[in-house]
């Protein structure tokens, strides 16, 4: 039975899974743990830029192009490129396939993807909105009807983890999302700021002696929930501190939920309504508090949560009340299955080059 090794290099972790043809996956600690007989290696690459909208077999040219994209998402593409080098050394005789998080958002319309910037920025410089977490959103899109027990035409996916984004999906196609040119735009994240007034950045650059590299570090590593509350910025830590009366942690959670609510409402507007709201990734799957508080602010959209179901939730499940106009789903993130499927399709589509 052919197996696909899926390499998922995030900004702070490296996840390895071996996925067989029945889509049963086994997590691994290192390349040394992988079995022999792997049919291919699928690499999750966060930023595909304008070049890559489909999975692609990695040759010398593609490898070079992926390295050139590191500048667009250094927190993610740099680790992915390092993992690619390690995997190619560990498995030199099998196909290596790149699968891009941005690819799912290739269906964004111009009105959703274009920034209101000068033409040469948008054309020559390629500044546009790409969107991310595509493998995760694609998995939620495939799972939502099964969990909800029926068709889900208008789905809003809350991928909430170290990086967080909200995506509107209509008839299986991405129509809007909160992340943009890079994974820094959108809602606040564990250590990333999310969207802030660009005028604030100009003010800091002009008046507080920060250069571009220092600013990049602050926005990516010292902001978000960590910037508001100190500590690690991890939601579990924040919830424990909130229970102890920590005001900074409470503010961080308040800001997070406030921005999430606005983002979900915006995505519902882009989708012309909402049939289901899906929570996935570390915070989405495990924080009953965030789900409860967010859904409480979305009642005007027809979102009604069952408190008991939410408190006891284990993915995959539906935590909405029986009569809720919007199904509330908790979905286990399975990016490795989407990556493995993409690799199998590419291998089956024609001869290897």
């Amino acid at each position: 039975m052919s197996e696909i090794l899926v390499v998922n290099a995030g900004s702070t972790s490296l996840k390895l899974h071996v996925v067989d043809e029945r889509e049963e996956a086994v997590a691994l600690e290192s390349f040394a743990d992988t079995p022999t007989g792997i049919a291919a290696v699928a690499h999750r690459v966060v930023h595909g830029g304008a070049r890559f909208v489909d999975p692609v077999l990695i040759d010398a040219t593609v490898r070079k192009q992926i390295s050139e994209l590191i500048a667009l998402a250094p927190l993610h593409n740099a680790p992915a490129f390092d993992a690619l080098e390690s995997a190619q050394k560990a498995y030199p005789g099998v196909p290596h396939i790149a699968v891009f998080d941005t690819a799912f958002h290739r269906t964004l319309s111009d009105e959703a993807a274009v920034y209101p910037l000068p033409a040469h920025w948008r054309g020559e410089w390629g500044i546009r909105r790409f969107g991310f977490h595509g493998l995760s959103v694609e998995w939620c899109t495939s799972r939502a009807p099964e969990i909800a027990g029926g068709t889900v035409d208008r789905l809003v996916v809350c991928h909430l983890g170290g990086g967080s984004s909200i995506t509107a999906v209509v008839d299986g196609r991405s129509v809007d999302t909160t992340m943009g040119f890079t994974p820094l735009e959108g809602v606040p994240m564990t250590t990333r700021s999310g969207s802030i007034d660009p005028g604030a950045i100009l003010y800091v650059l002009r008046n507080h002696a920060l250069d571009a590299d220092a600013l990049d570090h602050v926005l990516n590593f010292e902001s978000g929930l960590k910037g508001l509350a100190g500590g690690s910025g991890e939601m579990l830590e924040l919830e424990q501190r909130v229970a102890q009366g920590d005001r900074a942690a409470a503010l961080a959670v308040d800001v997070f939920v406030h921005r999430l609510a606005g983002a979900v409402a915006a995505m519902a507007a882009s989708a012309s309504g909402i049939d289901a709201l899906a929570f996935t990734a570390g915070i989405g799957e495990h924080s009953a508090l965030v789900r409860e508080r967010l859904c409480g602010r979305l009642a005007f959209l027809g979102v009604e949560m069952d408190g008991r179901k939410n408190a006891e939730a284990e993915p995959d499940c539906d935590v909405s009340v029986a009569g809720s106009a919007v199904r509330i789903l908790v979905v286990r993130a399975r990016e490795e299955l989407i990556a493995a499927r993409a690799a199998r399709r590419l291998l089956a589509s024609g001869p290897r080059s």
Side-chain angles (χ1 to χ4, degrees):
M1 181 174 293
S2 62
E3 296 175 316
I4 305 293
L5 171 62
V6 178
V7 179
N8 185 345
S11 57
T12 59
S13 65
L14 175 63
K15 300 175 184 177
L16 304 174
H17 290 87
V18 173
V19 182
D20 66 23
E21 291 176 333
R22 296 169 297 187
E23 295 200 329
E24 294 181 358
V26 176
L28 306 165
E29 293 295 326
S30 71
F31 290 115
D33 300 324
T34 58
T36 58
I38 295 296
V41 182
H43 297 263
R44 174 191 173 226
V45 181
V46 165
H47 209 315
R51 294 171 180 158
F52 300 110
V53 294
D54 293 302
V56 61
L57 194 67
I58 300 172
D59 57 17
T61 299
V62 170
R63 179 188 169 98
K64 181 176 183 296
Q65 290 173 332
I66 291 175
S67 72
E68 292 169 350
L69 290 169
I70 290 175
L72 296 181
L75 265 67
H76 301 86
N77 275 28
F81 189 77
D82 291 342
L84 168 60
E85 290 188 315
S86 297
Q88 286 185 319
K89 290 177 182 177
Y91 286 92
V94 302
H96 288 254
I97 295 164
V99 183
F100 300 91
D101 252 337
T102 45
F104 184 76
H105 302 291
R106 63 187 179 277
T107 55
L108 291 178
S109 64
D110 285 346
E111 67 183 30
V114 170
Y115 286 115
L117 293 169
H120 67 281
W121 285 46
R122 293 179 278 114
E124 297 170 35
W125 297 355
I127 307 296
R128 53 156 290 168
R129 305 187 71 250
F130 289 101
F132 301 90
H133 293 140
L135 302 186
S136 176
V137 176
E138 185 174 349
W139 175 252
C140 285
T141 300
S142 70
R143 285 291 290 141
E146 299 171 5
I147 302 170
T151 302
V152 177
D153 296 324
R154 301 168 300 180
L155 173 68
V156 174
V157 177
C158 298
H159 178 107
L160 309 179
S164 296
S165 67
I166 318 296
T167 300
V169 181
V170 177
D171 295 331
R173 297 163 61 87
S174 174
V175 298
D176 203 356
T177 191
T178 54
M179 285 182 169
F181 181 66
T182 74
L184 187 57
E185 186 179 2
V187 298
M189 305 170 222
T190 300
T191 66
R192 281 175 259 168
S193 65
S195 296
I196 60 175
D197 183 351
I201 296 175
L202 294 174
Y203 171 81
V204 169
L205 287 173
R206 288 169 175 160
N207 296 281
H208 292 284
L210 264 70
D211 61 18
D213 289 340
L215 183 62
D216 181 282
H217 179 81
V218 170
L219 294 177
N220 279 295
F221 294 102
E222 302 295 337
S223 299
L225 301 178
K226 178 180 180 179
L228 288 168
S232 68
E234 296 290 338
M235 185 55 64
L236 178 60
E237 176 189 310
L238 292 178
E239 290 185 11
Q240 292 170 342
R241 289 170 56 186
V242 168
Q244 296 165 359
D246 187 310
R247 295 179 64 182
L251 175 63
V253 176
D254 288 346
V255 170
F256 188 57
V257 172
H258 177 80
R259 296 292 183 89
L260 290 178
V264 171
M267 292 301 110
S270 292
S272 299
I274 176 173
D275 300 311
L277 178 67
F279 290 92
T280 192
I283 299 172
E285 294 174 36
H286 302 296
S287 178
L289 174 66
V290 169
R291 294 193 303 262
E292 178 184 19
R293 291 190 54 185
L294 176 56
C295 288
R297 298 185 64 151
L298 299 173
F300 72 98
L301 289 174
V303 177
E304 296 182 78
M305 172 176 278
D306 184 309
R308 181 187 60 80
K309 289 181 180 178
N310 180 57
E312 299 172 354
E314 291 289 340
D316 293 346
C317 65
D318 185 330
V319 297
S320 50
V321 301
S324 177
V326 177
R327 310 317 301 173
I328 307 168
L329 314 176
V330 182
V331 184
R332 189 179 307 282
R334 299 300 303 273
E335 294 165 317
E336 71 277 5
L337 298 189
I338 295 298
R341 288 177 186 177
R344 293 188 195 282
R345 286 196 301 269
L346 181 62
L347 293 174
S349 65
R352 301 172 188 171
S353 59

